[in-house]
Amino acid sequence: MGCFYCDEHHEGREAIMIKVGDMKAGVLYLMKDQAHKGRAVVALKNHKKELCECTDSERADYMEDVARASGAIKKLWGCTKINLASFGDTNPHLHFHIVPKYEGGFEFGGSFAITNPEPVLLSDAEYDEMIAALKAELGL
């Protein structure tokens, strides 16, 4: 098994997220678990493990992608706060989790779990609607 993000059709990735589209230096994915409405990931297109391994321009473009995706999610779904995280201990490819938090909602006021034991799964039509909204907002 290869890299979770580099392999075009990685079975593990396709089981938990849906590709939204390519950005400048990253690829935006919508998480299938929508317990945090709008939860997404931006993975670097190039295979690097750490932000410090990026060139200056690649890092600037990638962080712009993370900021733009976060802003689109906040605008579209009106979250109270955006949590960002990059781990990669067991999946060593640079990626940021974008986790919208809603006051009074799931896990608000604390950290978020990478894997939710009770995922909120949507219909294909609902995912399609969210993806279309993100693409329109981001011009993808």
Side-chain angles (χ1 to χ4, degrees), residues 25 44 51-65:
L44 187 69
L51 192 59
C52 61
E53 295 172 356
C54 295
T55 64
D56 290 346
S57 62
E58 183 178 43
R59 183 175 49 254
D61 288 345
Y62 178 62
M63 293 313 295
E64 180 183 331
D65 290 346

Side-chain angles (χ1 to χ4, degrees), residues 70-118:
S70 299
I73 289 165
K74 188 167 181 68
K75 180 178 178 183
L76 289 167
W77 295 293
C79 57
T80 308
K81 178 71 175 93
I82 297 274
N83 287 185
L84 298 173
S86 180
F87 303 111
D89 298 14
T90 58
N91 181 10
H93 182 115
L94 182 59
H95 64 286
F96 272 82
H97 294 262
I98 301 172
V99 184
K101 296 289 206 63
Y102 300 85
E103 193 164 355
F106 180 59
E107 295 183 326
F108 187 81
S111 60
F112 64 90
I114 291 294
T115 305
N116 178 5
E118 296 182 24

Side-chain angles (χ1 to χ4, degrees), residues 12-63:
R13 187 186 68 243
E14 291 181 348
I16 64 167
M17 59 182 70
I18 304 164
K19 184 177 178 180
V20 175
D22 290 326
M23 299 184 78
K24 264 184 166 176
V27 180
L28 178 61
Y29 297 92
L30 182 69
M31 296 295 294
K32 288 185 178 178
D33 178 5
Q34 285 294 302
H36 304 94
K37 187 170 178 90
R39 183 170 176 179
V41 167
V42 178
L44 187 69
K45 287 180 186 176
N46 295 325
H47 185 81
K48 295 184 178 169
K49 295 192 302 186
E50 309 293 348
L51 192 59
C52 61
E53 295 172 356
C54 295
T55 64
D56 290 346
S57 62
E58 183 178 43
R59 183 175 49 254
D61 288 345
Y62 178 62
M63 293 313 295

